[in-house]
């Protein structure tokens, strides 16, 4: 109820201030209201995870538009080291990420995956990793990975460059 009142208040405020633009050129396309943006976000969440071959990101950035820097990725990977390493056969709270690019999700030997991850059908291409790192729970909703995500697209590309060449 409180959320509905807040949304109603924001929408009302938007209507009140709309007439105060002060003139000038006006856009032919109105900006989405807060309520429309919230509805769009809710629809994205309710629509379920993207298909295994879907690589679209929430921020709209395409992996191919970026060039990853492995050195910067090594620094960005520091937050991942709590749970992951890039050493083969060495699992922690999360699986080893050694040679992860090109492998099937849920396939690192010796790691106990959730059913959702093991049955996801995902192949960890660079593009799919890029999407996953943005918001892991969106791509595999029942993963046990608690990492909220990496919103910075360049940092995601850098981490992937590091994972491809961790030396």
């Amino acid at each position: 109820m409180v959320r509905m009142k807040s949304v109603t208040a924001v929408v009302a405020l938007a209507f009140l201030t709309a007439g105060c633009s002060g003139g000038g050129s006006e856009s032919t396309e109105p900006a989405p209201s807060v309520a429309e943006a919230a509805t769009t976000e809710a629809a994205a969440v309710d629509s379920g995870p993207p298909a295994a071959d879907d690589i679209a990101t929430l921020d709209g950035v395409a992996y191919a538009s970026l060039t990853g820097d492995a050195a910067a990725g090594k620094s960005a990977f520091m937050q991942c080291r709590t749970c992951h390493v890039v050493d083969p056969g060495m699992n922690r709270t999360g699986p080893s990420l050694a040679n992860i690019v090109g492998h099937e999700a849920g396939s690192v030997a010796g790691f106990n995956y959730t059913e959702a991850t093991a049955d996801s059908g995902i192949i960890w291409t660079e593009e799919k990793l890029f999407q996953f790192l943005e918001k892991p729970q969106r791509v595999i909703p029942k993963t046990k990975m608690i990492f909220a995500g990496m919103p910075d697209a360049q940092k995601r590309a850098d981490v992937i460059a590091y994972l491809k060449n961790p030396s």
Side-chain angles (χ1 to χ4, degrees):
M1 185 67 171
V2 172
R3 185 167 188 248
M4 180 62 113
K5 286 181 181 178
S6 296
V7 170
T8 303
V10 170
V11 171
L13 182 60
F15 282 119
L16 288 173
T17 59
C20 300
S21 67
S25 65
E26 294 182 18
S27 172
T28 57
E29 292 187 31
S33 71
V34 173
E36 289 171 332
T39 302
T40 301
E41 177 67 20
V45 171
D46 292 341
S47 65
D53 62 348
D54 176 357
I55 57 171
T57 58
L58 293 171
D59 62 10
V61 177
Y63 175 71
S65 71
L66 302 168
T67 301
D69 176 341
K74 183 175 184 177
S75 294
F77 188 78
M78 291 307 291
Q79 65 183 314
C80 309
R81 286 197 185 279
T82 303
C83 301
H84 299 280
V85 293
V86 293
D87 303 314
M90 185 179 200
N91 296 323
R92 288 189 174 172
T93 304
S96 168
L97 299 179
N99 303 310
I100 196 68
V101 176
H103 281 82
E104 184 177 355
S107 67
V108 173
F111 189 77
N112 185 24
Y113 290 95
T114 61
E115 189 175 321
T117 300
D119 295 343
S120 67
I122 291 172
I123 301 296
W124 291 126
T125 63
E126 294 170 50
E127 295 82 5
K128 195 64 176 183
L129 280 167
F130 184 72
Q131 179 193 55
F132 181 76
L133 289 172
E134 181 182 34
K135 191 171 182 181
Q137 294 289 333
R138 171 181 172 249
V139 177
I140 304 176
K142 296 191 182 196
T143 181
K144 60 182 157 182
M145 186 165 154
I146 59 171
F147 178 62
M150 190 176 286
D152 185 317
Q154 184 60 58
K155 283 186 181 180
R156 295 193 314 265
D158 293 342
V159 167
I160 294 165
Y162 172 68
L163 290 173
K164 288 173 37 186
N165 187 15
S167 50

